[in-house]
Amino acid sequence: MPTTPATAANSSSNGTAEAIMLELVDENGTTIGTAEKLAAHQAPGQLHRAFSVFLFDEQGRLLLQRRALGKYHSPGVWSNTCCGHPYPGEAPFTAAARRTHEELGISPSLLAEAGTVRYNHPDPASGLVEQEFNHLFVGMVQASPDPDLEEVGETAFVAADELAKRHAEAPFSAWFMTVLDAARPAIRELTGPSAGW
């Protein structure tokens, strides 16, 4: 993984895993502190900064990922292209590009900000809570995914008219529809009216 000031502050020189810290924010998205990742997700949840990425191919199909079964939060469910948390002090755009490459082995050919959305989604299966101030990004991808199997179980490109069928047949993350709906204006601008988003 490339080392940046943010990643250097969140890695250990002796190879042992250190606690992953998240940036806590107020209702306006202003940083107010930090918390350990798991602690921030335990009920009732602490409001923290997050990001969600939606990447499309040239046919206007959305790249979905199914979260790896080994993940402690929402394992095995389908979700948007990539989502995660910036390290404290890391720009959301930088974090979105970094995690997309780390999880899926791809770099977007275009990545643009698409607003923010604030939500509170409990996960009944794990008891964890997504209490997030989420920065949205939309973009294009031209390369085929090469996922990290510890993070991603499966990927699929889906057209807008296929999404509802897939969503009815398989479990999706609790936050998926919230972030998709919030990103739709930017998605429509990116993919054009014929893509149906």
Side-chain angles (χ1 to χ4, degrees):
M1 174 173 68
T3 302
T4 66
T7 58
N10 287 279
S11 62
S12 172
S13 60
N14 65 8
T16 60
E18 289 186 5
I20 297 173
M21 302 302 288
L22 305 186
E23 199 169 85
L24 300 180
V25 299
D26 65 15
E27 294 291 337
N28 298 313
T30 303
T31 302
I32 58 171
T34 60
E36 190 276 324
K37 183 178 178 180
L38 184 57
H41 288 88
Q42 290 174 337
Q46 295 174 279
L47 184 59
H48 58 274
R49 195 176 308 284
F51 64 83
S52 289
V53 177
F54 297 85
L55 295 182
F56 296 83
D57 66 9
E58 292 178 353
Q59 289 78 47
R61 297 179 303 167
L62 172 61
L63 175 58
L64 297 176
Q65 71 156 275
R66 186 173 60 82
R67 294 165 63 84
L69 292 174
K71 292 182 82 74
Y72 75 90
H73 190 343
S74 301
V77 301
W78 286 92
S79 199
N80 48 293
T81 308
C82 182
C83 53
H85 310 92
Y87 292 128
E90 183 181 26
F93 183 93
T94 302
R98 173 179 58 79
R99 284 303 293 164
T100 300
H101 188 266
E102 290 171 0
E103 289 188 11
L104 295 160
I106 53 176
S107 295
S109 57
L110 170 74
L111 189 64
E113 294 182 15
T116 60
V117 63
R118 192 261 194 253
Y119 53 79
N120 179 353
H121 285 300
D123 175 29
S126 68
L128 299 174
V129 177
E130 287 289 3
Q131 182 92 245
E132 294 186 330
F133 188 94
N134 197 304
H135 297 256
L136 307 170
F137 298 92
V138 300
M140 302 294 292
V141 62
Q142 295 175 321
S144 297
D146 181 19
D148 175 348
L149 298 180
E150 290 187 9
E151 297 286 343
V152 179
E154 188 178 350
T155 62
F157 282 96
V158 298
D161 58 359
E162 297 172 293
L163 183 63
K165 182 174 186 279
R166 182 178 286 267
H167 195 265
E169 293 174 349
F172 271 67
S173 65
W175 61 87
F176 176 73
M177 288 308 297
T178 299
V179 293
L180 175 63
D181 287 345
R184 277 187 199 274
I187 290 170
R188 290 182 184 126
E189 187 175 334
L190 176 73
T191 60
S194 61
W197 294 102

